[in-house]
Amino acid sequence: MSTHAAARVAAPTRREQILKEAARLFAERGFHGVGVDEIGAAVGISGPGLYRHFPGKDAMLAELLVGISERLLAGGELRVSEDAASHDGSHAALLDALIAGHIDFALDDRPLITLHDRELDRLRDTDRKRVRRLQRQYVEVWVGVVRGLYPDLPEHEARAAVHAVFGLLNSTPHLGRPGALPDRTDTAALLHRLARGAFDAAGGARAGRSE
């Protein structure tokens, strides 16, 4: 594939541009603090022009929150299936892959974390339930991997550890303004060490009690 062709493939669609700017503005100023005209201006089109892509702000919010939940689950399931297909059987490597994937989200999509925390309840009931269902499925992907690595860890403790690690990794909006994080590689490595340390502590503590 030529460089120009690759660039065309990689270029975000107008719909993706709208969602990215909507997420940023909603996170910075709140859902009700942003108008359709402002979102349009951020992507260089008129506010009414947005209605060719979305029926309104509610639809943007739903697509943002449902969409990221779908992508996280799909990414987690893909890593598990790839590990199974390779017959590697390394639960440690698979857990590292899950952590790395979630760190990419936590560093690259910080506005979506803020948006979820502040605006999830604004979704209509069906969309909110879908987000919750997808999130539960994503947690269970992790629980299976964690228990594969730490077989003595009870399911409820593994699930609690997963939620705790999500809380740690999803703290990135509090690390500074967007674009003001420390070196990305160093930040990712630190988050990874902290996450693995939390799981090792949970698994090691259980192993120690069973001896």
Side-chain angles (χ1 to χ4, degrees):
M1 181 183 292
S2 69
T3 301
H4 292 303
R8 286 196 299 272
V9 171
T13 65
R14 178 51 60 92
R15 187 180 181 87
E16 290 168 339
Q17 291 172 341
I18 292 169
L19 287 172
K20 180 178 180 180
E21 290 304 316
R24 178 182 65 82
L25 290 169
F26 291 159
E28 288 178 359
R29 291 155 52 187
F31 181 75
H32 287 305
V34 179
V36 170
D37 288 343
E38 294 167 282
I39 299 172
V43 295
I45 62 177
S46 67
L50 288 181
Y51 293 112
R52 292 197 297 270
H53 302 276
F54 297 96
K57 290 196 307 176
D58 289 341
M60 295 180 206
L61 181 63
E63 185 155 338
L64 285 165
L65 295 182
V66 173
I68 190 55
S69 298
E70 290 175 336
R71 293 197 297 276
L72 285 171
L73 175 59
E77 291 178 334
L78 178 62
R79 289 177 176 86
V80 171
S81 65
E82 287 177 341
D83 181 76
S86 70
H87 305 292
D88 180 43
S90 172
H91 294 291
L94 180 52
L95 181 58
D96 282 335
L98 287 176
I99 292 171
H102 198 96
I103 287 173
D104 284 340
F105 154 69
L107 292 176
D108 297 336
D109 292 298
R110 296 167 68 196
L112 291 179
I113 297 174
T114 300
L115 206 56
H116 177 276
D117 290 345
R118 292 180 182 170
E119 313 289 359
L120 180 63
D121 287 343
R122 298 193 188 281
L123 294 183
R124 60 183 182 177
D125 192 52
T126 53
D127 289 329
R128 186 171 60 255
K129 287 180 178 178
R130 177 162 176 75
V131 169
R132 293 300 193 193
R133 183 170 65 253
L134 291 164
Q135 290 174 337
R136 287 193 296 271
Q137 291 174 301
Y138 183 53
V139 167
E140 294 312 306
V141 170
W142 282 64
V143 169
V145 174
V146 169
R147 295 196 73 210
L149 183 57
Y150 308 103
D152 293 328
L153 191 64
E155 184 175 318
H156 70 279
E157 290 189 18
R159 190 170 294 108
V162 170
H163 280 291
V165 167
F166 285 175
L168 165 68
L169 299 182
N170 291 347
S171 68
T172 51
H174 305 291
L175 298 181
R177 301 186 315 277
L181 282 176
D183 179 81
R184 189 190 190 286
T185 300
D186 290 345
T187 302
L190 173 61
L191 290 171
H192 202 118
R193 290 196 304 273
L194 291 170
R196 275 305 302 268
F199 285 126
D200 288 343
R206 168 58 61 171
R209 289 199 297 270
S210 64
E211 290 177 357

